[in-house]
């Protein structure tokens, strides 16, 4: 039973670690989704700032719009990099969650095996005692006849 208590304590520690990793995975997911939304927003802005043919546009407006589109392009590239990094982080955290989950399940299986062995040992001992009592009762009946 001491072994089971020790393994149970270890399992509880591993479960707490798993819960912490799940929280990190949730944060990483939210971060990744935020990066995706920003990237899509920047891509949408790039398409909004274009020149239609046939309209007269001043050189200053055209120059400013081209500069702004260049800045949007730079921001878009940086956001795409941020999105890729957040995706890598998300995958890494998810892999750690899976690994930690395996660790917790392994501890649970060890505990289950040990409890099963203890219960089998108890059952065997009880059966042995019942057999002995039955033999003694049978022996007493024979003596009393």
């Amino acid at each position: 039973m001491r072994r089971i208590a020790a393994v149970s304590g270890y399992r509880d520690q591993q479960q707490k670690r798993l819960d912490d990793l799940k929280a990190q995975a949730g944060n990483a997911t939210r971060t990744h989704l935020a990066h995706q939304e920003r990237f899509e927003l920047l891509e949408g802005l790039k398409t909004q700032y274009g020149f239609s043919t046939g309209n007269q546009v001043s050189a200053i407006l055209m120059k400013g719009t081209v500069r702004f589109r260049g800045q949007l392009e730079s921001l878009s590239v940086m956001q795409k990099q941020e999105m890729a990094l957040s995706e890598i982080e998300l995958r890494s955290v998810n892999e750690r969650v899976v690994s930690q989950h395996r660790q917790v399940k392994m501890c649970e299986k060890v505990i289950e095996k040990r409890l099963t062995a203890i219960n089998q040992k108890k059952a065997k001992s009880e059966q042995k005692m019942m057999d002995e009592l039955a033999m003694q009762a049978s022996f007493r009946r024979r003596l009393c006849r």
Side-chain angles (χ1 to χ4, degrees), residues 27-56:
N27 291 338
T29 300
R30 283 188 292 281
T31 301
H32 182 66
L33 290 175
H35 286 303
Q36 279 182 327
E37 287 174 10
R38 284 187 214 114
F39 178 73
E40 290 168 4
L41 177 66
L42 288 169
E43 289 297 307
L45 280 174
K46 284 193 317 189
T47 59
Q48 288 178 6
Y49 286 91
F51 300 108
S52 50
T53 57
N55 291 342
Q56 287 188 344

Side-chain angles (χ1 to χ4, degrees), residues 4-19:
I4 292 174
V7 174
S8 291
Y10 180 72
R11 183 206 52 215
D12 293 344
Q13 290 173 348
Q14 296 304 312
Q15 183 65 47
K16 184 182 179 326
R17 191 167 173 219
L18 176 63
D19 295 340

Side-chain angles (χ1 to χ4, degrees), residues 1 4 7 18 22 26 43-44 48-49 54 57-58 95 97 100 107 124 130 135 137 144:
M1 283 305 248
I4 292 174
V7 174
L18 176 63
K22 284 181 179 179
E43 289 297 307
Q48 288 178 6
Y49 286 91
V57 180
S58 72
E95 286 174 7
V97 166
Q100 190 64 34
C107 289
K124 195 174 184 180
M130 295 301 281
M135 282 180 23
C144 291

